[in-house]
Amino acid sequence: MAETQSSNYDVLRNEKYGRYLVANKDLDSGELIFTDMPFAVGPKPGNPPLCLGCYAPIDNSLCSRCGWPICSPECETAASHLNECEVFSAANVRFQSVEDWTASSPQLDCITPLRVLLAKEKDPEKWQQGLELMETHTEARQQKPSWAVDQVNIADFLVDHCKLGNKFDKELVQRVCGILEINSVEIPSRGGFSIRAVYPRLAIAAHSCVPNIVHTILYNDYQVQVRAAVPIKSGETLHLCYTHALSPTPIRREYLLESKFFNCECARCADPTELGTHLSTLKCNKCDNGVILSTNPLDNDAPWKCTEKNCEFKTSGAAVRKMLAVVQAEADQLDVLEPNAQAIEQREAFINKYKSVFHPRHSLLLSIKQALGQLYGRVEGYNIDELPDLMLERKAEFCRLVLKTLDVIMPGESRMRGMVLYELHAPIMFMARNEFSAGVITQEKLKDRLQEPIKCLADAARILMREDPQSPEGITGQIAYQSMEQLKASLDSL
Ligand SMILES: [Zn+2]
Ligand SMILES: [Zn+2]
Ligand SMILES: [Zn+2]
Ligand SMILES: [Zn+2]
């Protein structure tokens, strides 16, 4: 029997998921299922000091009343900051100055829990119907070193230093820390930093490594909009992906266990080939054609073996995870490069270095290829109108490779698909035009060939225009729409 009903979904409960959402009617892909407002929004662990009003980076700028990071007089009186400003001012607890304003600051770890507590005080009913019911995994959290850190930096700090003991006890503060750790989601902010928020309804959606719903955050008030990514039948469970969908199985499962306290056993996790996408697959260097797969992906300690009959190669799950961590750290270095010619060349060198270690569609190589699919045509020395056909083809190949993987692990209308489709339209369009200019194809054939980029742009615009108009994706959606209109007009005038 459903606990709560809405026009599109029911809330059910079982052993495996606790509370979860089920569609109660057929939903089209892209259809809005529900919207939700955050119970609280604020910094996430690891954030450097940021403005507590708008979440912009900040350098030695403090609130004139409470002495905590605030960028401007407007942000001093932002609704999000007012209540904590009073707490800090009354207790005379100030932010301790830091040397490096770009390094992560544990001092801000207390902010979001404090905001949850203050919101609870203000709206006890909303707390009771939403957050009170959320999973906290207190026993498991107590076993981790972060429990003691939270106890000092958050529970002791708020109850003793900020003198909130008459309102909240330390046990409640730890519960709030657990609620946030397990149920909050990372969201973008208008100030630039990604932060976290807890949404009472969104948090009920169950996890799958092949999600069927997607969510969009609006910058203005951090409302979340939840949509169907694919057509969903009445009675189907709504699944969100709590982790980075392109990660390989060992990394996803480790993250889900460490931070969400469950062992994912979805169909993708259970399949050594990740449903044929090969996001975790390694290449064997002891034989010619073998690939190395986990003998049981649901057991972290299961050995990995070569698939070739006569090849004996075998390694441990721990060795694979260690190797992934080392290569991932090297790949992360590429992410901080400025987008220029070097950023392309170093990524190509990375692919070259590791092509004999990883399957061409392994997560690590695919992420690099996804970045290259974006960089080709966009940086000095590799501008789209001067790219040789070979590189146009490479850009298109990388985009198609990502789309092929998304078809399986994130089917339907996602931000990532929209962004890749936008990138894909350009090389196809330029290759067709180049062939026409060179006299290789007729005008009729050119018109025909330009239908594909028009379709890419139309799909990208439809998907991305659901995003906040100020977000990078929302901006790309508007550009995609305009480019589509221009391309159609240029076709009509041929
Ligand atoms: Zn600000
Ligand atoms: Zn203040
Ligand atoms: Zn899974
Ligand atoms: Zn082998």
Side-chain angles (χ1 to χ4, degrees), residues 398-464:
F398 289 160
C399 291
R400 289 199 163 107
L401 206 61
V402 176
L403 290 173
K404 190 175 157 190
T405 302
L406 290 182
D407 286 343
V408 180
I409 59 154
M410 220 201 293
E413 309 209 343
S414 62
R415 265 189 296 282
M416 203 189 289
R417 177 179 304 274
M419 293 301 270
V420 178
L421 283 169
Y422 177 72
E423 290 303 330
L424 178 59
H425 94 275
I428 308 174
M429 184 176 81
F430 276 90
M431 281 189 282
R433 283 182 176 165
N434 290 351
E435 284 185 38
F436 177 65
S437 316
V440 181
I441 54 172
T442 61
Q443 200 174 68
E444 272 317 296
K445 186 76 188 158
L446 174 66
K447 281 188 180 179
D448 199 37
R449 291 269 295 275
L450 290 177
Q451 295 310 311
E452 192 186 352
I454 288 176
K455 174 89 165 60
C456 289
L457 288 169
D459 289 345
R462 186 184 66 251
I463 296 170
L464 296 174

Side-chain angles (χ1 to χ4, degrees), residues 3-274:
E3 294 193 1
T4 321
Q5 288 171 325
S6 88
S7 50
N8 294 327
Y9 64 87
D10 294 339
V11 179
L12 303 184
R13 184 188 285 276
N14 69 10
E15 274 291 302
K16 185 176 170 194
Y17 298 132
R19 291 184 304 152
Y20 65 105
L21 305 177
V22 172
N24 64 12
K25 59 173 250 211
D26 291 354
L27 299 161
D28 284 334
S29 72
E31 187 171 342
L32 186 66
I33 306 175
F34 64 87
T35 64
D36 199 4
M37 290 305 290
F39 190 79
V41 181
K44 65 181 169 61
N47 271 136
L50 42 70
C51 173
L52 294 177
C54 67
Y55 315 112
I58 205 167
D59 188 0
N60 210 3
S61 169
L62 301 172
C63 175
S64 67
R65 292 185 292 178
C66 68
W68 282 69
I70 279 288
C71 77
S72 62
E74 296 82 74
C75 283
E76 267 191 39
T77 53
S80 62
H81 177 61
L82 276 183
N83 295 332
E84 73 216 9
C85 190
E86 256 170 54
V87 169
F88 293 142
S89 303
N92 198 20
V93 174
R94 301 176 67 85
F95 182 77
Q96 303 294 306
S97 190
V98 289
E99 262 180 37
D100 183 356
W101 284 74
T102 61
S104 82
S105 171
Q107 287 188 75
L108 296 186
D109 290 359
C110 69
I111 299 290
T112 314
L114 174 57
R115 288 179 179 181
V116 170
L117 291 163
L118 295 172
K120 171 182 185 286
E121 201 185 11
K122 206 169 144 204
D123 195 344
E125 205 174 320
K126 197 173 173 197
W127 161 272
Q128 247 170 20
Q129 288 164 1
L131 275 72
E132 177 96 79
L133 305 169
M134 285 180 184
E135 206 67 75
T136 57
H137 293 287
T138 302
E139 276 174 31
R141 284 185 62 244
Q142 280 170 336
Q143 308 302 315
K144 294 193 356 180
S146 55
W147 175 273
V149 178
D150 287 351
Q151 187 69 30
V152 175
N153 288 350
I154 305 174
D156 295 352
F157 181 79
L158 292 178
V159 171
D160 302 335
H161 296 249
C162 297
K163 306 190 178 77
L164 293 172
N166 57 337
K167 291 181 180 173
F168 316 113
D169 61 34
K170 292 180 185 178
E171 201 187 311
L172 175 65
V173 179
Q174 277 284 13
R175 243 181 86 202
V176 166
C177 292
I179 287 172
L180 284 170
E181 189 177 338
I182 287 134
N183 302 280
S184 69
V185 287
E186 199 174 312
I187 63 167
S189 75
R190 55 180 176 276
F193 277 118
S194 70
I195 52 173
R196 63 173 166 173
V198 60
Y199 296 92
R201 255 184 292 181
L202 181 69
I204 308 173
H207 163 84
S208 168
C209 297
V210 183
N212 59 2
I213 57 174
V214 287
H215 70 284
T216 292
I217 309 289
L218 301 184
Y219 283 13
N220 182 29
D221 52 5
Y222 302 113
Q223 184 196 65
V224 66
Q225 301 186 332
V226 177
R227 293 174 191 278
V230 288
I232 298 175
K233 288 255 168 277
S234 177
E236 280 181 42
T237 301
L238 304 182
H239 285 291
L240 198 65
C241 184
Y242 295 171
T243 173
H244 186 49
L246 280 189
S247 300
T249 298
I251 306 291
R252 287 196 321 280
R253 296 190 81 240
E254 191 175 23
Y255 170 82
L256 292 169
L257 184 60
E258 277 294 304
S259 61
K260 308 292 174 190
F261 301 97
F262 70 92
N263 271 306
C264 189
E265 298 187 345
C266 75
R268 178 179 166 196
C269 282
D271 179 352
T273 71
E274 296 205 34

